[in-house]
Amino acid sequence: MRVGTRLVLATLPMGFTLLLPSAAQAWPWPRPDPGDPFTMSVDDVACGTGRVAVRLHNQSRELVRFALKADSSSVATGSIPARATIVKHVPVRRGSNAEIEAFQVTDKQPEALIDSTLVDNDCPWGHRTGHLPFTGPPADLMAKLATAAGMVVMGGILWWYGSIWPRTHL
C-alpha cells in the first residue's frame, strides 16, 4: 500500500467527524444544557479567605430564582435578572471539601437541581505559598560544628597522651 493511500485512510475518520452536522454542533465543549435557566461555574478556593467564588449566569430572558447550597446547608437564595451574572462566595474549611449545589426555585417545584460540583480546599496551612517555615539552622552546619568540636577534643586527647607516653621511669 502506498504512503499516500495510508495517509488518506488515516485522515478519513477525522474528515467525517468534522464534516458531519451532528459532530459539528457538539464541538464547543462544554456546552450548557439548553433546558437550564441558568448555569453555575466555580473558581478555585482563595487561600487567603478560604472562600470559593460561584458564578450564576441567567441564560433566559426572565427573572430566575435560585438556591445555593454547600453540603446540603443553604448558603444563599435570591433571584438572577435576565441575561445577568451574579457571584456568591461560599466558605470551605481548610483541609476539607464541600459539595456546592445550585437549585432553581419555582412555585410549582421547590428545588430543581441545576448543577453540582465538589470543591477541595487544599491550601497550605500556616505559611504563604512558596515560602517554607523556619525549622532551625541547616543540618549540614550542625554536622560541621560537631565534626570541628570532635576534632578539637581528639586533638586535646592526643596532645595529653603524647606528653606522657615516651617518658621512662627511673
Side-chain angles (χ1 to χ4, degrees):
M1 192 182 278
R2 291 186 172 170
V3 176
T5 308
R6 288 182 184 174
L7 288 175
V8 168
L9 290 176
T11 58
L12 199 60
M14 184 59 116
F16 280 125
T17 305
L18 293 175
L19 297 176
L20 288 176
S22 62
Q25 290 185 5
W27 193 298
W29 287 72
R31 202 168 221 197
D33 186 4
D36 291 341
F38 65 91
T39 59
M40 176 181 82
S41 63
V42 180
D43 293 344
D44 290 335
V45 176
C47 290
T49 62
R51 294 178 175 262
V52 61
V54 179
R55 293 183 191 338
L56 301 173
H57 176 68
N58 186 352
Q59 306 180 113
S60 67
R61 295 181 180 174
E62 301 173 354
L63 185 75
V64 175
R65 291 178 23 205
F66 73 93
L68 194 63
K69 293 185 178 185
D71 290 333
S72 300
S73 61
S74 181
V75 174
T77 57
S79 59
I80 310 169
R83 305 265 186 210
T85 301
I86 61 169
V87 178
K88 297 292 180 181
H89 296 281
V90 178
V92 180
R93 290 189 335 259
R94 282 190 175 160
S96 66
N97 54 17
E99 183 177 10
I100 299 175
E101 301 170 317
F103 295 94
Q104 178 188 10
V105 178
T106 60
D107 295 333
K108 297 176 187 174
Q109 194 172 15
E111 289 183 346
L113 180 65
I114 299 297
D115 197 3
S116 69
T117 187
L118 189 66
V119 177
D120 189 23
N121 186 351
D122 56 356
C123 293
W125 298 9
H127 57 82
R128 297 180 314 210
T129 305
H131 298 284
L132 295 175
F134 179 73
T135 57
D140 61 339
L141 176 65
M142 291 292 132
K144 288 175 184 176
L145 291 175
T147 302
M151 291 176 80
V152 167
V153 170
M154 189 67 192
I157 292 172
L158 287 174
W159 182 316
W160 170 78
Y161 192 68
S163 67
I164 63 168
W165 178 59
R167 290 187 184 168
T168 57
H169 294 277
L170 290 177

